[in-house]
């Protein structure tokens, strides 16, 4: 599948049963809710997917199940987050074999690779697969930045590196990328609280987190932005912001899973060492979610204005 790197692509959570096995039934409920809202792709195995805790067999199952559910309507993208180049190549090739349409790739995990090592890691993996790749650039959380010069090197060497999940938290980086690469490198905002701003500056899409619980509102913001109905997009976004801030937190997985429970398309189960929220921390998150649901915008009414 030729991927159009644009639109809203949920980084979906992985659903678990009370016995810590994959909850494929609830997983399908959520994926179908994303499809009904009109998302443009599904991303598996990111931070929200608790990728570091999944076995290779579980990752394979998630890809195959998602491919079955979406029935070719939108691309299925698998995240690659490995410690070695060898493992990254194997993971990329396995994802392609399992039916993934594309890959999202982080720099090497744990070891803080320098620019030369990071470039070589991406190059070797990209050359080992025919799948299109979106580089996940998140130096805040993962310690390695893919600079514009590094992207220049990669784009000249690897035609299947086509997009960036822009998570540097520097909103001006969207303009820097556009100025340097034009349409050679698609930009998808990777920070929920900067998505509207990124789209305003020319980002092509949004790798979203709270979309897992609120797919319709997320899609509405994107659609209004591309229709240049900025007032409507901003009205939803202002309502959404307290919820979106749950994504920029070390407990983002627990936070978003609680939101999924509240909207009926997920469960709270996480895989240890993560544990469900308790005490005041839980109360604070639930209050934000409850307030959001109480004041949820009427999208059909907004559409008619």
């Amino acid at each position: 599948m030729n991927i159009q790197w644009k639109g809203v692509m949920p980084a979906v959570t992985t659903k678990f049963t009370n016995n810590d096995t994959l909850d494929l039934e609830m997983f399908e409920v959520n994926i179908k809710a994303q499809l009904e809202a009109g998302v443009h792709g599904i991303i598996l195995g990111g931070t929200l997917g608790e990728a570091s805790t999944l076995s290779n067999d579980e990752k394979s199952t998630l890809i195959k199940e998602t491919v079955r559910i979406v029935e070719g309507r939108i691309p299925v993208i698998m995240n690659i987050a490995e410690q070695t180049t060898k493992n990254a190549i194997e993971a990329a090739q396995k994802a392609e074999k399992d039916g993934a349409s594309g890959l999202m790739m982080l720099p090497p995990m744990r070891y803080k690779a320098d620019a030369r090592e990071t470039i070589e890691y991406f190059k070797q993996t990209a050359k080992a697969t025919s799948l299109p790749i979106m580089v996940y650039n998140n130096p805040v959380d993962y310690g390695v930045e893919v600079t514009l010069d590094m992207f220049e090197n990669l784009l000249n060497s690897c035609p299947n590196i086509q997009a960036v999940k822009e998570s540097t938290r520097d909103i001006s980086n969207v303009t820097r990328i556009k100025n340097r690469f034009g349409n050679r490198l698609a930009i998808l905002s990777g920070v929920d609280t900067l998505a509207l701003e990124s789209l305003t500056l020319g980002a092509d899409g949004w790798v979203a987190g709270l979309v897992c619980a609120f797919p319709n509102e997320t899609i509405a913001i994107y659609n209004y932005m591309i229709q240049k109905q900025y007032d409507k997009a901003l009205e939803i976004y202002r309502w959404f912001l307290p919820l979106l801030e749950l994504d920029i937190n070390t407990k983002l997985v627990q936070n978003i899973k609680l939101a999924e429970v509240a909207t009926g398309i997920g469960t709270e189960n996480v895989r240890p060492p993560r544990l469900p929220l308790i005490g005041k921390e839980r109360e604070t998150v639930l209050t934000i979610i409850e307030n959001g649901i109480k004041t949820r915008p009427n999208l059909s009414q907004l559409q008619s204005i």
Side-chain angles (χ1 to χ4, degrees):
M1 177 183 287
N2 179 32
I3 297 181
Q4 299 297 312
W5 295 102
K6 62 182 182 179
V8 174
M9 296 190 178
V12 296
T13 57
T14 300
K15 310 299 185 291
F16 297 107
T17 67
N18 294 335
N19 297 320
D20 196 30
T21 58
L22 293 180
D23 185 346
L24 296 178
E25 183 177 342
M26 185 54 78
F27 180 77
E28 184 167 353
V29 167
N30 191 280
I31 297 298
K32 286 183 174 178
Q34 305 300 325
L35 288 171
E36 288 168 9
V39 300
H40 303 85
I42 297 290
I43 298 174
L44 303 169
T47 306
L48 283 173
E50 301 178 66
S52 62
T53 71
L54 297 175
S55 70
N56 290 335
D57 285 345
E58 287 173 326
K59 292 176 184 178
S60 181
T61 296
L62 289 173
I63 293 172
K64 291 175 181 177
E65 281 296 300
T66 308
V67 169
R68 177 187 65 80
I69 296 164
V70 306
E71 297 180 320
R73 286 173 282 181
I74 57 173
V76 176
I77 298 157
M78 187 64 191
N79 185 48
I80 304 294
E82 298 290 341
Q83 296 182 55
T84 68
T85 304
K86 177 182 177 181
N87 287 349
I89 289 171
E90 289 176 354
Q93 292 176 336
K94 186 67 168 63
E96 184 168 6
K97 182 180 178 182
D98 289 334
S101 316
L103 304 172
M104 182 170 77
M105 275 194 68
L106 281 156
M109 297 286 94
R110 291 194 178 180
Y111 173 64
K112 188 174 180 179
D114 66 19
R116 180 174 65 94
E117 292 167 328
T118 302
I119 288 170
E120 192 63 20
Y121 174 83
F122 281 121
K123 280 184 180 179
Q124 291 300 319
T125 308
K127 290 176 180 178
T129 178
S130 66
L131 293 180
I133 294 171
M134 173 170 59
V135 171
Y136 185 0
N137 193 19
N138 186 348
V140 176
D141 291 324
Y142 296 109
V144 175
E145 180 172 4
V146 185
T147 65
L148 298 190
D149 287 343
M150 293 164 71
F151 272 116
E152 186 76 58
N153 189 318
L154 291 170
L155 292 175
N156 290 337
S157 305
C158 306
N160 56 333
I161 293 180
Q162 301 172 354
V164 57
K165 178 182 176 184
E166 166 53 35
S167 299
T168 61
R169 283 22 171 219
D170 181 354
I171 192 66
S172 60
N173 214 36
V174 173
T175 301
R176 292 190 190 97
I177 294 169
K178 282 294 180 186
N179 286 346
R180 179 78 171 261
F181 302 114
N183 294 325
R184 291 171 60 200
L185 186 67
I187 305 169
L188 284 84
S189 174
V191 182
D192 271 0
T193 55
L194 295 176
L196 183 139
E197 294 85 348
S198 298
L199 291 167
T200 302
L201 292 173
D204 302 282
W206 177 3
V207 176
L210 266 296
V211 68
C212 294
F214 297 95
N216 293 304
E217 290 82 359
T218 309
I219 286 291
I221 290 172
Y222 174 78
N223 285 342
Y224 284 133
M225 287 300 294
I226 62 173
Q227 294 162 9
K228 302 188 186 307
Q229 298 188 60
Y230 301 123
D231 288 347
K232 291 182 180 180
L234 187 57
E235 182 175 338
I236 302 170
Y237 193 66
R238 284 175 172 161
W239 159 81
F240 212 176
L241 187 60
L243 290 159
L244 296 177
E245 288 176 332
L246 297 176
D247 185 52
I248 50 170
N249 183 289
T250 55
K251 301 284 183 70
L252 77 165
V253 175
Q254 291 95 320
N255 293 347
I256 292 174
K257 286 192 171 186
L258 267 181
E260 287 178 322
V261 171
T263 57
I265 54 174
T267 68
E268 192 181 346
N269 295 330
V270 289
R271 174 164 282 177
R274 286 185 176 90
L275 295 172
L277 301 180
I278 60 172
K280 181 150 184 70
E281 186 176 33
R282 180 185 180 87
E283 291 173 11
T284 299
V285 173
L286 283 175
T287 297
I288 292 169
I289 295 168
E290 288 164 5
N291 287 340
I293 289 178
K294 286 177 186 175
T295 58
R296 203 169 183 175
N298 186 329
L299 297 181
S300 60
Q301 186 179 63
L302 193 64
Q303 190 173 20
S304 65
I305 296 174

PDB file of all heavy atoms in Angstrom, residues 245-274:
ATOM      1  N   GLU A 245      -3.497  17.193  27.522  1.00  0.00           N
ATOM      2  CA  GLU A 245      -2.344  17.287  28.421  1.00  0.00           C
ATOM      3  C   GLU A 245      -2.083  15.985  29.174  1.00  0.00           C
ATOM      4  O   GLU A 245      -0.994  15.789  29.718  1.00  0.00           O
ATOM      5  CB  GLU A 245      -2.542  18.457  29.393  1.00  0.00           C
ATOM      6  CG  GLU A 245      -2.391  19.804  28.694  1.00  0.00           C
ATOM      7  CD  GLU A 245      -2.663  20.995  29.590  1.00  0.00           C
ATOM      8  OE1 GLU A 245      -3.459  20.845  30.558  1.00  0.00           O
ATOM      9  OE2 GLU A 245      -2.098  22.064  29.322  1.00  0.00           O
ATOM     10  N   LEU A 246      -3.053  15.086  29.177  1.00  0.00           N
ATOM     11  CA  LEU A 246      -2.829  13.761  29.777  1.00  0.00           C
ATOM     12  C   LEU A 246      -1.812  12.954  28.975  1.00  0.00           C
ATOM     13  O   LEU A 246      -1.263  11.970  29.460  1.00  0.00           O
ATOM     14  CB  LEU A 246      -4.145  12.987  29.852  1.00  0.00           C
ATOM     15  CG  LEU A 246      -5.244  13.584  30.734  1.00  0.00           C
ATOM     16  CD1 LEU A 246      -6.517  12.751  30.626  1.00  0.00           C
ATOM     17  CD2 LEU A 246      -4.782  13.685  32.184  1.00  0.00           C
ATOM     18  N   ASP A 247      -1.557  13.385  27.734  1.00  0.00           N
ATOM     19  CA  ASP A 247      -0.626  12.670  26.852  1.00  0.00           C
ATOM     20  C   ASP A 247       0.826  13.072  27.102  1.00  0.00           C
ATOM     21  O   ASP A 247       1.738  12.332  26.743  1.00  0.00           O
ATOM     22  CB  ASP A 247      -1.009  12.950  25.396  1.00  0.00           C
ATOM     23  CG  ASP A 247      -0.184  12.163  24.400  1.00  0.00           C
ATOM     24  OD1 ASP A 247      -0.105  10.937  24.552  1.00  0.00           O
ATOM     25  OD2 ASP A 247       0.381  12.775  23.474  1.00  0.00           O
ATOM     26  N   ILE A 248       1.056  14.240  27.689  1.00  0.00           N
ATOM     27  CA  ILE A 248       2.432  14.690  27.919  1.00  0.00           C
ATOM     28  C   ILE A 248       2.784  14.468  29.390  1.00  0.00           C
ATOM     29  O   ILE A 248       3.041  15.391  30.149  1.00  0.00           O
ATOM     30  CB  ILE A 248       2.633  16.149  27.472  1.00  0.00           C
ATOM     31  CG1 ILE A 248       1.554  17.074  28.053  1.00  0.00           C
ATOM     32  CG2 ILE A 248       2.650  16.248  25.955  1.00  0.00           C
ATOM     33  CD1 ILE A 248       1.832  18.546  27.837  1.00  0.00           C
ATOM     34  N   ASN A 249       2.819  13.212  29.768  1.00  0.00           N
ATOM     35  CA  ASN A 249       2.964  12.797  31.160  1.00  0.00           C
ATOM     36  C   ASN A 249       3.575  11.403  31.155  1.00  0.00           C
ATOM     37  O   ASN A 249       3.310  10.619  30.246  1.00  0.00           O
ATOM     38  CB  ASN A 249       1.566  12.792  31.812  1.00  0.00           C
ATOM     39  CG  ASN A 249       1.586  12.461  33.273  1.00  0.00           C
ATOM     40  OD1 ASN A 249       1.828  11.321  33.666  1.00  0.00           O
ATOM     41  ND2 ASN A 249       1.320  13.457  34.107  1.00  0.00           N
ATOM     42  N   THR A 250       4.388  11.105  32.153  1.00  0.00           N
ATOM     43  CA  THR A 250       5.007   9.782  32.199  1.00  0.00           C
ATOM     44  C   THR A 250       3.976   8.659  32.338  1.00  0.00           C
ATOM     45  O   THR A 250       4.243   7.520  31.976  1.00  0.00           O
ATOM     46  CB  THR A 250       6.011   9.683  33.365  1.00  0.00           C
ATOM     47  OG1 THR A 250       5.349  10.025  34.584  1.00  0.00           O
ATOM     48  CG2 THR A 250       7.182  10.616  33.149  1.00  0.00           C
ATOM     49  N   LYS A 251       2.805   8.985  32.863  1.00  0.00           N
ATOM     50  CA  LYS A 251       1.741   7.989  33.012  1.00  0.00           C
ATOM     51  C   LYS A 251       0.722   8.095  31.868  1.00  0.00           C
ATOM     52  O   LYS A 251      -0.451   7.792  32.052  1.00  0.00           O
ATOM     53  CB  LYS A 251       1.034   8.179  34.363  1.00  0.00           C
ATOM     54  CG  LYS A 251       1.947   8.055  35.583  1.00  0.00           C
ATOM     55  CD  LYS A 251       2.295   6.612  35.892  1.00  0.00           C
ATOM     56  CE  LYS A 251       3.154   6.511  37.149  1.00  0.00           C
ATOM     57  NZ  LYS A 251       2.426   6.836  38.371  1.00  0.00           N
ATOM     58  N   LEU A 252       1.172   8.518  30.690  1.00  0.00           N
ATOM     59  CA  LEU A 252       0.232   8.725  29.585  1.00  0.00           C
ATOM     60  C   LEU A 252      -0.540   7.461  29.234  1.00  0.00           C
ATOM     61  O   LEU A 252      -1.716   7.535  28.865  1.00  0.00           O
ATOM     62  CB  LEU A 252       0.956   9.259  28.339  1.00  0.00           C
ATOM     63  CG  LEU A 252       1.776   8.295  27.469  1.00  0.00           C
ATOM     64  CD1 LEU A 252       2.065   8.967  26.122  1.00  0.00           C
ATOM     65  CD2 LEU A 252       3.084   7.912  28.134  1.00  0.00           C
ATOM     66  N   VAL A 253       0.073   6.296  29.345  1.00  0.00           N
ATOM     67  CA  VAL A 253      -0.624   5.053  29.006  1.00  0.00           C
ATOM     68  C   VAL A 253      -1.796   4.835  29.957  1.00  0.00           C
ATOM     69  O   VAL A 253      -2.931   4.587  29.538  1.00  0.00           O
ATOM     70  CB  VAL A 253       0.333   3.847  29.038  1.00  0.00           C
ATOM     71  CG1 VAL A 253      -0.438   2.549  28.807  1.00  0.00           C
ATOM     72  CG2 VAL A 253       1.428   4.003  27.985  1.00  0.00           C
ATOM     73  N   GLN A 254      -1.515   4.948  31.263  1.00  0.00           N
ATOM     74  CA  GLN A 254      -2.586   4.782  32.250  1.00  0.00           C
ATOM     75  C   GLN A 254      -3.662   5.853  32.069  1.00  0.00           C
ATOM     76  O   GLN A 254      -4.857   5.571  32.161  1.00  0.00           O
ATOM     77  CB  GLN A 254      -2.009   4.851  33.670  1.00  0.00           C
ATOM     78  CG  GLN A 254      -1.136   3.662  34.042  1.00  0.00           C
ATOM     79  CD  GLN A 254       0.341   3.910  33.807  1.00  0.00           C
ATOM     80  OE1 GLN A 254       0.721   4.519  32.807  1.00  0.00           O
ATOM     81  NE2 GLN A 254       1.178   3.444  34.718  1.00  0.00           N
ATOM     82  N   ASN A 255      -3.233   7.092  31.826  1.00  0.00           N
ATOM     83  CA  ASN A 255      -4.182   8.194  31.667  1.00  0.00           C
ATOM     84  C   ASN A 255      -5.142   7.945  30.509  1.00  0.00           C
ATOM     85  O   ASN A 255      -6.363   8.088  30.640  1.00  0.00           O
ATOM     86  CB  ASN A 255      -3.433   9.503  31.404  1.00  0.00           C
ATOM     87  CG  ASN A 255      -2.613   9.974  32.584  1.00  0.00           C
ATOM     88  OD1 ASN A 255      -2.762   9.483  33.693  1.00  0.00           O
ATOM     89  ND2 ASN A 255      -1.730  10.920  32.332  1.00  0.00           N
ATOM     90  N   ILE A 256      -4.580   7.587  29.373  1.00  0.00           N
ATOM     91  CA  ILE A 256      -5.401   7.433  28.173  1.00  0.00           C
ATOM     92  C   ILE A 256      -6.276   6.195  28.267  1.00  0.00           C
ATOM     93  O   ILE A 256      -7.426   6.192  27.808  1.00  0.00           O
ATOM     94  CB  ILE A 256      -4.511   7.436  26.912  1.00  0.00           C
ATOM     95  CG1 ILE A 256      -3.915   8.842  26.739  1.00  0.00           C
ATOM     96  CG2 ILE A 256      -5.291   7.017  25.670  1.00  0.00           C
ATOM     97  CD1 ILE A 256      -2.913   8.978  25.624  1.00  0.00           C
ATOM     98  N   LYS A 257      -5.784   5.151  28.912  1.00  0.00           N
ATOM     99  CA  LYS A 257      -6.629   3.975  29.095  1.00  0.00           C
ATOM    100  C   LYS A 257      -7.816   4.281  30.012  1.00  0.00           C
ATOM    101  O   LYS A 257      -8.922   3.767  29.789  1.00  0.00           O
ATOM    102  CB  LYS A 257      -5.807   2.796  29.617  1.00  0.00           C
ATOM    103  CG  LYS A 257      -4.910   2.187  28.537  1.00  0.00           C
ATOM    104  CD  LYS A 257      -4.309   0.867  28.945  1.00  0.00           C
ATOM    105  CE  LYS A 257      -3.618   0.202  27.764  1.00  0.00           C
ATOM    106  NZ  LYS A 257      -3.132  -1.150  28.062  1.00  0.00           N
ATOM    107  N   LEU A 258      -7.616   5.119  31.005  1.00  0.00           N
ATOM    108  CA  LEU A 258      -8.751   5.543  31.836  1.00  0.00           C
ATOM    109  C   LEU A 258      -9.772   6.315  30.997  1.00  0.00           C
ATOM    110  O   LEU A 258     -10.984   6.151  31.165  1.00  0.00           O
ATOM    111  CB  LEU A 258      -8.265   6.426  32.985  1.00  0.00           C
ATOM    112  CG  LEU A 258      -7.937   5.753  34.316  1.00  0.00           C
ATOM    113  CD1 LEU A 258      -7.498   6.795  35.338  1.00  0.00           C
ATOM    114  CD2 LEU A 258      -9.127   4.974  34.859  1.00  0.00           C
ATOM    115  N   ALA A 259      -9.289   7.144  30.102  1.00  0.00           N
ATOM    116  CA  ALA A 259     -10.194   7.890  29.223  1.00  0.00           C
ATOM    117  C   ALA A 259     -10.949   6.946  28.294  1.00  0.00           C
ATOM    118  O   ALA A 259     -12.138   7.147  28.024  1.00  0.00           O
ATOM    119  CB  ALA A 259      -9.414   8.921  28.422  1.00  0.00           C
ATOM    120  N   GLU A 260     -10.286   5.907  27.817  1.00  0.00           N
ATOM    121  CA  GLU A 260     -10.950   4.921  26.955  1.00  0.00           C
ATOM    122  C   GLU A 260     -12.070   4.206  27.703  1.00  0.00           C
ATOM    123  O   GLU A 260     -13.118   3.901  27.120  1.00  0.00           O
ATOM    124  CB  GLU A 260      -9.932   3.893  26.448  1.00  0.00           C
ATOM    125  CG  GLU A 260      -8.980   4.420  25.402  1.00  0.00           C
ATOM    126  CD  GLU A 260      -7.972   3.365  24.968  1.00  0.00           C
ATOM    127  OE1 GLU A 260      -7.501   2.582  25.822  1.00  0.00           O
ATOM    128  OE2 GLU A 260      -7.661   3.307  23.770  1.00  0.00           O
ATOM    129  N   VAL A 261     -11.849   3.922  28.976  1.00  0.00           N
ATOM    130  CA  VAL A 261     -12.904   3.303  29.787  1.00  0.00           C
ATOM    131  C   VAL A 261     -14.106   4.236  29.858  1.00  0.00           C
ATOM    132  O   VAL A 261     -15.259   3.822  29.696  1.00  0.00           O
ATOM    133  CB  VAL A 261     -12.384   2.975  31.203  1.00  0.00           C
ATOM    134  CG1 VAL A 261     -13.534   2.534  32.106  1.00  0.00           C
ATOM    135  CG2 VAL A 261     -11.316   1.883  31.143  1.00  0.00           C
ATOM    136  N   ALA A 262     -13.847   5.523  30.074  1.00  0.00           N
ATOM    137  CA  ALA A 262     -14.924   6.498  30.231  1.00  0.00           C
ATOM    138  C   ALA A 262     -15.759   6.648  28.964  1.00  0.00           C
ATOM    139  O   ALA A 262     -16.956   6.943  29.037  1.00  0.00           O
ATOM    140  CB  ALA A 262     -14.338   7.853  30.630  1.00  0.00           C
ATOM    141  N   THR A 263     -15.135   6.438  27.803  1.00  0.00           N
ATOM    142  CA  THR A 263     -15.879   6.566  26.548  1.00  0.00           C
ATOM    143  C   THR A 263     -16.319   5.207  25.994  1.00  0.00           C
ATOM    144  O   THR A 263     -16.883   5.134  24.895  1.00  0.00           O
ATOM    145  CB  THR A 263     -15.037   7.307  25.488  1.00  0.00           C
ATOM    146  OG1 THR A 263     -13.790   6.616  25.283  1.00  0.00           O
ATOM    147  CG2 THR A 263     -14.772   8.739  25.917  1.00  0.00           C
ATOM    148  N   GLY A 264     -16.063   4.145  26.747  1.00  0.00           N
ATOM    149  CA  GLY A 264     -16.591   2.834  26.398  1.00  0.00           C
ATOM    150  C   GLY A 264     -15.862   2.077  25.311  1.00  0.00           C
ATOM    151  O   GLY A 264     -16.383   1.115  24.751  1.00  0.00           O
ATOM    152  N   ILE A 265     -14.611   2.472  25.024  1.00  0.00           N
ATOM    153  CA  ILE A 265     -13.892   1.781  23.947  1.00  0.00           C
ATOM    154  C   ILE A 265     -12.512   1.293  24.403  1.00  0.00           C
ATOM    155  O   ILE A 265     -11.568   1.217  23.621  1.00  0.00           O
ATOM    156  CB  ILE A 265     -13.763   2.663  22.681  1.00  0.00           C
ATOM    157  CG1 ILE A 265     -13.140   4.017  22.993  1.00  0.00           C
ATOM    158  CG2 ILE A 265     -15.127   2.850  22.031  1.00  0.00           C
ATOM    159  CD1 ILE A 265     -12.873   4.859  21.743  1.00  0.00           C
ATOM    160  N   GLY A 266     -12.416   0.931  25.696  1.00  0.00           N
ATOM    161  CA  GLY A 266     -11.154   0.409  26.188  1.00  0.00           C
ATOM    162  C   GLY A 266     -11.283  -0.124  27.599  1.00  0.00           C
ATOM    163  O   GLY A 266     -12.348  -0.071  28.209  1.00  0.00           O
ATOM    164  N   THR A 267     -10.173  -0.644  28.089  1.00  0.00           N
ATOM    165  CA  THR A 267     -10.092  -1.114  29.469  1.00  0.00           C
ATOM    166  C   THR A 267      -8.900  -0.454  30.148  1.00  0.00           C
ATOM    167  O   THR A 267      -8.031   0.118  29.489  1.00  0.00           O
ATOM    168  CB  THR A 267      -9.902  -2.646  29.542  1.00  0.00           C
ATOM    169  OG1 THR A 267      -8.593  -2.976  29.031  1.00  0.00           O
ATOM    170  CG2 THR A 267     -10.971  -3.366  28.741  1.00  0.00           C
ATOM    171  N   GLU A 268      -8.869  -0.558  31.458  1.00  0.00           N
ATOM    172  CA  GLU A 268      -7.811   0.097  32.229  1.00  0.00           C
ATOM    173  C   GLU A 268      -6.550  -0.757  32.352  1.00  0.00           C
ATOM    174  O   GLU A 268      -5.513  -0.272  32.806  1.00  0.00           O
ATOM    175  CB  GLU A 268      -8.354   0.426  33.624  1.00  0.00           C
ATOM    176  CG  GLU A 268      -7.471   1.348  34.428  1.00  0.00           C
ATOM    177  CD  GLU A 268      -8.041   1.620  35.811  1.00  0.00           C
ATOM    178  OE1 GLU A 268      -9.228   1.315  36.056  1.00  0.00           O
ATOM    179  OE2 GLU A 268      -7.289   2.141  36.651  1.00  0.00           O
ATOM    180  N   ASN A 269      -6.624  -2.004  31.934  1.00  0.00           N
ATOM    181  CA  ASN A 269      -5.516  -2.926  32.183  1.00  0.00           C
ATOM    182  C   ASN A 269      -4.230  -2.484  31.487  1.00  0.00           C
ATOM    183  O   ASN A 269      -4.224  -2.193  30.292  1.00  0.00           O
ATOM    184  CB  ASN A 269      -5.887  -4.327  31.705  1.00  0.00           C
ATOM    185  CG  ASN A 269      -7.029  -4.922  32.495  1.00  0.00           C
ATOM    186  OD1 ASN A 269      -7.198  -4.619  33.674  1.00  0.00           O
ATOM    187  ND2 ASN A 269      -7.830  -5.767  31.861  1.00  0.00           N
ATOM    188  N   VAL A 270      -3.161  -2.450  32.265  1.00  0.00           N
ATOM    189  CA  VAL A 270      -1.831  -2.175  31.740  1.00  0.00           C
ATOM    190  C   VAL A 270      -0.938  -3.363  32.086  1.00  0.00           C
ATOM    191  O   VAL A 270      -1.290  -4.200  32.909  1.00  0.00           O
ATOM    192  CB  VAL A 270      -1.235  -0.875  32.332  1.00  0.00           C
ATOM    193  CG1 VAL A 270      -1.950   0.338  31.781  1.00  0.00           C
ATOM    194  CG2 VAL A 270      -1.292  -0.872  33.859  1.00  0.00           C
ATOM    195  N   ARG A 271       0.217  -3.409  31.451  1.00  0.00           N
ATOM    196  CA  ARG A 271       1.133  -4.530  31.716  1.00  0.00           C
ATOM    197  C   ARG A 271       2.248  -4.076  32.650  1.00  0.00           C
ATOM    198  O   ARG A 271       2.926  -3.071  32.374  1.00  0.00           O
ATOM    199  CB  ARG A 271       1.709  -5.046  30.391  1.00  0.00           C
ATOM    200  CG  ARG A 271       2.784  -6.110  30.571  1.00  0.00           C
ATOM    201  CD  ARG A 271       3.046  -6.873  29.280  1.00  0.00           C
ATOM    202  NE  ARG A 271       1.996  -7.871  29.050  1.00  0.00           N
ATOM    203  CZ  ARG A 271       1.934  -8.642  27.956  1.00  0.00           C
ATOM    204  NH1 ARG A 271       2.830  -8.509  26.992  1.00  0.00           N
ATOM    205  NH2 ARG A 271       0.976  -9.541  27.829  1.00  0.00           N
ATOM    206  N   PRO A 272       2.462  -4.785  33.757  1.00  0.00           N
ATOM    207  CA  PRO A 272       3.540  -4.440  34.676  1.00  0.00           C
ATOM    208  C   PRO A 272       4.893  -4.412  33.954  1.00  0.00           C
ATOM    209  O   PRO A 272       5.100  -5.186  33.022  1.00  0.00           O
ATOM    210  CB  PRO A 272       3.490  -5.574  35.715  1.00  0.00           C
ATOM    211  CG  PRO A 272       2.063  -6.049  35.671  1.00  0.00           C
ATOM    212  CD  PRO A 272       1.664  -5.912  34.232  1.00  0.00           C
ATOM    213  N   PRO A 273       5.784  -3.473  34.333  1.00  0.00           N
ATOM    214  CA  PRO A 273       5.779  -2.757  35.615  1.00  0.00           C
ATOM    215  C   PRO A 273       4.775  -1.611  35.720  1.00  0.00           C
ATOM    216  O   PRO A 273       4.616  -1.066  36.813  1.00  0.00           O
ATOM    217  CB  PRO A 273       7.198  -2.222  35.713  1.00  0.00           C
ATOM    218  CG  PRO A 273       7.625  -2.043  34.299  1.00  0.00           C
ATOM    219  CD  PRO A 273       7.009  -3.184  33.548  1.00  0.00           C
ATOM    220  N   ARG A 274       4.122  -1.221  34.622  1.00  0.00           N
ATOM    221  CA  ARG A 274       3.058  -0.227  34.780  1.00  0.00           C
ATOM    222  C   ARG A 274       1.956  -0.800  35.674  1.00  0.00           C
ATOM    223  O   ARG A 274       1.656  -1.985  35.611  1.00  0.00           O
ATOM    224  CB  ARG A 274       2.463   0.155  33.432  1.00  0.00           C
ATOM    225  CG  ARG A 274       3.338   1.044  32.576  1.00  0.00           C
ATOM    226  CD  ARG A 274       2.607   1.455  31.321  1.00  0.00           C
ATOM    227  NE  ARG A 274       3.395   2.383  30.522  1.00  0.00           N
ATOM    228  CZ  ARG A 274       4.250   2.009  29.571  1.00  0.00           C
ATOM    229  NH1 ARG A 274       4.393   0.727  29.289  1.00  0.00           N
ATOM    230  NH2 ARG A 274       4.938   2.912  28.903  1.00  0.00           N
TER     231      ARG A 274
END
